Amino acid sequence: MPITSDDDIRALFDAETIAVVGCSATAGKPAHDIPAYMQRHGYRVVPVNPFHDEILGETAYDSLADVDEDVDLVDVFRPSEEAGDIVDAAIERAADRGDVEAVWLQLGIRDDDAAARAEEAGLSFVQDKCFKVEHSRLA
């Protein structure tokens, strides 16, 4: 079951480095403004977007596998149809590097099968919730 309790969601805000898959360079888009909010609240944001070299003043990586620093949480701004592959990449990274602890699918993004795989791999999992809304409400 994906995380739904306030206490369990609040615990995810202890993350320090967040890889944002689908991070946008376009101000005004949620995939840009929410990572900018994360930065303003002290999180290290690592953008993952193969179409940009830099977003929000940070080096952008082509894929989660290309990120060369440790990542605590993977935040996903891609369509539900793409979420499963991204979750699988996070699971693989957690197994190989031991760094990813949680996956967060933003509001409107769901994949129950991926949730089950992530939880089976020992990762915390949130889906269909906005990081900014939940952080503003709980942190």
Side-chain angles (χ1 to χ4, degrees), residues 50-139:
F51 302 108
H52 295 281
D53 294 328
E54 183 178 292
I55 302 173
L56 296 169
E58 299 287 345
T59 299
Y61 294 88
D62 288 347
S63 71
L64 187 57
D66 292 330
V67 175
D68 57 7
E69 58 191 280
D70 285 348
V71 171
D72 301 312
L73 186 145
V74 176
D75 187 37
V76 180
F77 280 94
R78 298 298 303 150
S80 295
E81 300 77 40
E82 296 178 25
D85 288 342
I86 297 164
V87 171
D88 290 343
I91 292 167
E92 183 176 331
R93 183 180 174 95
D96 292 347
R97 292 184 56 132
D99 59 346
V100 176
E101 298 172 8
V103 175
W104 187 301
L105 304 185
Q106 282 293 139
L107 188 65
I109 306 169
R110 298 186 59 90
D111 187 326
D112 293 335
D113 292 337
R117 292 193 305 275
E119 290 167 348
E120 185 175 312
L123 301 181
S124 298
F125 191 88
V126 174
Q127 64 182 1
D128 196 21
K129 290 191 181 295
C130 176
F131 185 97
K132 180 180 176 183
V133 168
E134 297 302 316
H135 185 268
S136 297
R137 186 173 71 84
L138 297 171

Side-chain angles (χ1 to χ4, degrees), residues 17-33:
T17 302
I18 302 174
V20 181
V21 179
C23 192
S24 176
T26 306
K29 286 188 170 185
H32 176 275
D33 294 351

